Amino acid sequence: MPTRILPAGADPDAVRSLTTLLSQLPDAEPQPPVTDSTQLVDTLARLAAESVDELPEVVVVHERIGPVPALELIREVALRFPAVGVILVTTDASPGLFAAAMDSGARGLVALPLSYEELASRVQAVAQWSTGVRRHLGHGGEPAAGAGGTVVTVSGAKGGVGATLTAVQLALAAQASGRATALVDLDLQTGDIASYLDIQFRRSVADLAAITDISPRVLADAVFRHDTGLALLLAPGEGERGEEVTDRAVRQLISALRSRYEVVVIDCGAQLGGAGAAAVETADTALLVTTPDVIAVRAAKRTVRMWDRLQIRKAEETTVVVNRHTRSTEIQPALVQRITGTALARTAVPANFKELQGVVDAGRLHELDSRSTVKQALWALAGELGLAKAGEAASHRGTGRAAGSFRRRKE
């Protein structure tokens, strides 16, 4: 059986040379090359969604790939697609880089300029390793879905449009349907998830920023376990500490969360920084919440254009959620979609703040009544996004107030 090899690199000449040499290897089947980290991860995710067997056995990453640095990209691929072997092609074949590449999850390293013998040897060894892993997965019952957990970001077109409310209820719906769920507050200066759930905490996402290898134990120590079962990773209580959370730290954090939770919901707030940009770029689904008024819709359009200019997210890869919708408003969801050029969530969230005011003021958003039209819409949105199984989520809707008294905890 031929070995499928996927080359990845941003330098056209280097990738062309690599592909030519790969095509000369015995039983090799080079795939069309990918030119950046986003395209590589998207390609692997699409193939993994079909079957683990559709994934290439070997991915060859050139050191000049971007925008995600090569070692970070290798770490993400290794965590999300454990049946794929990664080889790093680099001009630096020093023991230090070799050790760093192995720590990141690479299965081999090939020095530039390329040598046919060295490349052939590495590809053969990595292909055999990948085949063995797949054989093991095949005997382990249900094969692991290489893509890992699902990551959804929730951003606001502007402040006050309901992004945090949306993020919290999506996470609650996913958790209620039986899926291990993490809710992350990346609104680093003004995050309100802790206030909405009336909790006091010590550790935050900033405490993980300086850690280069986030192990399951380290992650568990930073997470606040809510009585609903949600795992919460909160924004720092001191807003200035948000500057410690870099885009690199966020990529590592998301990779760690994917490997541990089935669903990861991230509240990115309305202000774009490096951390939020990395989350939106990495997410499987990026939601942009707006209200049906001129100011908010214009803000949504500006945000979509900015994401596109910065190559964070294309408009068609962004899903707009219309909050506080009424039939009488002049701006209906279809018009919002035309203005922004994005995808549109089928579920619009109705305007009914009276349902929310009591639980918001009490900091008990998790106890929102199951009869609330707002809650029903947001949980329906969770089903639409595949975060919650519709039947299971519906059967848990009555558990909001019956979940027991909420106990404040300090960690």
Side-chain angles (χ1 to χ4, degrees), residues 8-11 34-40 61-70 73 251 281 311:
D11 186 331
V34 295
T35 58
D36 60 46
S37 57
T38 301
Q39 188 181 2
L40 173 59
V61 175
H62 191 276
E63 63 181 354
R64 293 183 183 175
I65 198 166
V68 177
L73 176 62
R251 294 182 194 281
E281 181 185 13
Q311 298 184 345

Side-chain angles (χ1 to χ4, degrees), residues 59-411:
V59 170
V60 182
V61 175
H62 191 276
E63 63 181 354
R64 293 183 183 175
I65 198 166
V68 177
L71 292 182
E72 291 183 30
L73 176 62
I74 290 170
R75 184 186 300 274
E76 182 172 357
V77 171
L79 284 169
R80 295 183 60 184
F81 312 100
V84 174
V86 185
I87 296 174
L88 175 63
V89 175
T90 176
T91 54
D92 179 11
S94 65
L97 180 63
F98 181 85
M102 297 304 106
D103 288 343
S104 296
R107 304 302 306 179
L109 185 146
V110 176
L112 290 168
L114 292 171
S115 160
Y116 175 88
E117 290 77 13
E118 184 181 10
L119 185 62
S121 173
R122 292 295 178 213
V123 167
Q124 181 181 15
V126 173
Q128 290 176 349
W129 172 86
S130 176
T131 301
V133 170
R134 295 174 197 218
R135 187 180 302 116
H136 173 74
L137 291 175
H139 291 302
E142 184 178 350
T150 299
V151 175
V152 176
T153 56
V154 184
S155 304
K158 57 185 287 295
V161 296
T164 299
L165 167 70
T166 301
V168 170
Q169 288 297 327
L170 290 179
L172 288 170
Q175 180 70 31
S177 70
R179 295 184 173 175
T181 303
L183 175 59
V184 183
D185 196 344
L186 273 188
D187 189 358
L188 296 172
Q189 279 76 41
T190 58
D192 285 326
I193 287 179
S195 297
Y196 272 117
L197 299 177
D198 193 24
I199 57 177
Q200 298 177 12
F201 63 98
R202 261 192 345 209
R203 297 180 180 88
S204 73
V205 65
D207 295 308
L208 298 176
I211 299 176
T212 56
D213 186 9
I214 303 175
S215 67
R217 182 173 181 177
V218 169
L219 184 61
D221 286 343
V223 162
F224 184 101
R225 183 66 62 177
H226 191 262
D227 284 359
T228 59
L230 280 180
L232 303 178
L233 195 53
L234 300 163
E238 305 81 16
E240 64 274 15
R241 290 199 65 198
E243 296 182 1
E244 301 172 19
V245 185
T246 64
D247 57 342
R248 179 176 182 176
V250 168
R251 294 182 194 281
Q252 293 177 341
L253 173 61
I254 290 176
S255 293
L257 290 167
R258 279 188 191 274
S259 66
R260 188 173 178 85
Y261 298 97
E262 296 175 76
V263 175
V264 181
V265 180
I266 304 175
D267 179 7
C268 294
Q271 298 296 320
L272 183 68
V280 172
E281 181 185 13
T282 308
D284 299 294
T285 301
L287 301 181
L288 182 61
V289 180
T290 186
T291 48
D293 57 84
V294 172
I295 303 301
V297 174
R298 284 179 177 172
K301 185 176 181 178
R302 286 198 305 270
T303 298
V304 170
R305 287 181 171 180
M306 178 172 59
W307 287 359
D308 188 50
R309 287 195 305 272
L310 297 177
Q311 298 184 345
I312 296 170
R313 198 95 184 179
K314 295 179 181 178
E316 58 270 23
E317 296 173 347
T318 302
T319 301
V320 162
V321 177
V322 178
N323 186 27
R324 300 176 198 152
H325 171 258
T326 64
R327 293 184 179 181
S328 60
T329 184
E330 291 186 26
I331 301 177
Q332 292 295 313
L335 178 58
V336 176
Q337 182 181 24
R338 287 199 298 272
I339 292 172
T340 59
T342 61
L344 177 70
R346 295 191 302 272
T347 305
V349 184
N352 200 336
F353 183 72
K354 287 183 179 179
E355 297 178 351
L356 302 172
Q357 188 166 5
V359 293
V360 168
D361 290 345
R364 304 173 76 87
L365 192 56
H366 55 291
E367 293 187 355
L368 181 59
D369 196 292
S370 60
R371 294 169 295 181
S372 162
T373 57
V374 174
K375 178 176 180 177
Q376 290 173 6
L378 288 170
W379 284 42
L381 177 61
E384 178 184 334
L385 298 173
L387 305 183
K389 297 175 183 177
E392 292 181 9
S395 68
H396 285 77
R397 286 181 184 173
T399 63
R401 290 191 176 276
S405 60
F406 181 77
R407 298 180 299 276
R408 293 190 184 186
R409 301 188 307 180
K410 294 184 179 181
E411 290 192 355

